[in-house]
Amino acid sequence: MPEFTLRKTALFVEDIHHDGGPAPDQPRRRAAIAALVANPFAGGYTADLQPAMEDLKPLGLMMTERLIEAMGGPDGIDGYGKAAMAGEGGELEHTALWHVPGGYAMRARLGEAKAIVPSAMKQGGPGTRIDVPLGHINAAYVRSHFDAMEVGLPDGPRAGELLFVLAMSRGGRVHDRMGGLTVAEVKGEDGLR
């Protein structure tokens, strides 16, 4: 069993009151939680990485709980996304370890989420930023929810570390007006529409 020793977590919360136009009835909230962990696979090649995804599920659940708390509870959370970054000595495939634990945790806590959890992966060192893509939790084609939240930590990921991120939002972009499928039209049957 690999050791993903947790070094630190950080929470980011944004309340968007307007974006150059009229203020919405309620500010839009976006939040993300980031965790820096040791990368037990750094510096070498491991053929079978998949079993390690199971070891990361408790981290995903803990991060999800803290993120929902930062969002003010689960009511109205209708957007989500995830991201991962490998520090020096890691490979891009190590970031893919986050697909199941990150997505599983948010789906388990947010109920019947149908849409794929958008994801971004990259390699970088301390201070490198990553855009966490956001999409609607039940229908990937809801244009008002196409968004991203930039996240980064000044001291990570260090060599031999991984940065894992989860993000959630409540509501679409403040002044969305690009048409397409609306939240009211979501059927939530196939994760697309």
Side-chain angles (χ1 to χ4, degrees):
M1 181 192 298
E3 287 289 325
F4 295 96
T5 305
L6 178 64
R7 179 162 70 89
K8 73 185 289 186
T9 58
L11 273 165
F12 307 90
V13 179
E14 298 178 351
D15 289 317
I16 303 164
H17 296 274
H18 72 85
D19 194 18
D25 293 337
Q26 182 177 19
R28 179 181 190 223
R29 177 164 282 186
R30 296 188 304 194
I33 185 168
L36 285 168
V37 302
N39 181 354
F41 303 110
Y45 178 80
T46 302
D48 187 10
L49 296 170
Q50 288 187 30
M53 286 192 281
E54 193 67 29
D55 299 321
L56 287 167
K57 282 186 175 180
L59 177 65
L61 288 168
M62 179 275 290
M63 291 171 66
T64 297
E65 291 297 336
R66 291 195 55 209
L67 186 54
I68 289 172
E69 181 180 329
M71 290 290 293
D75 291 344
I77 295 174
D78 61 356
Y80 58 16
K82 63 185 185 303
M85 188 184 323
E88 185 179 342
E91 62 177 280
L92 193 60
E93 198 63 12
H94 299 162
T95 65
L97 288 165
W98 196 231
H99 284 314
V100 172
Y104 152 82
M106 289 192 291
R107 287 175 185 275
R109 294 300 190 254
L110 294 177
E112 295 298 317
K114 302 287 187 195
I116 190 169
V117 180
S119 182
M121 303 180 304
K122 68 187 283 185
Q123 292 173 291
T128 303
R129 313 282 295 174
I130 189 165
D131 288 332
V132 185
L134 292 164
H136 193 276
I137 66 172
N138 286 315
Y141 290 166
V142 177
R143 287 185 199 159
S144 61
H145 285 59
F146 294 174
D147 197 5
M149 185 172 178
E150 186 183 33
V151 175
L153 296 171
D155 62 341
R158 295 175 181 167
E161 284 188 330
L162 291 164
L163 173 71
F164 293 132
V165 184
L166 298 177
M168 294 179 187
S169 61
R170 183 176 289 114
R173 295 182 313 278
V174 171
H175 302 303
D176 75 275
R177 52 196 185 276
M178 291 299 126
L181 184 69
T182 67
V183 172
E185 297 169 329
V186 170
K187 293 180 183 163
E189 295 169 354
D190 61 3
L192 299 176
R193 298 181 189 280

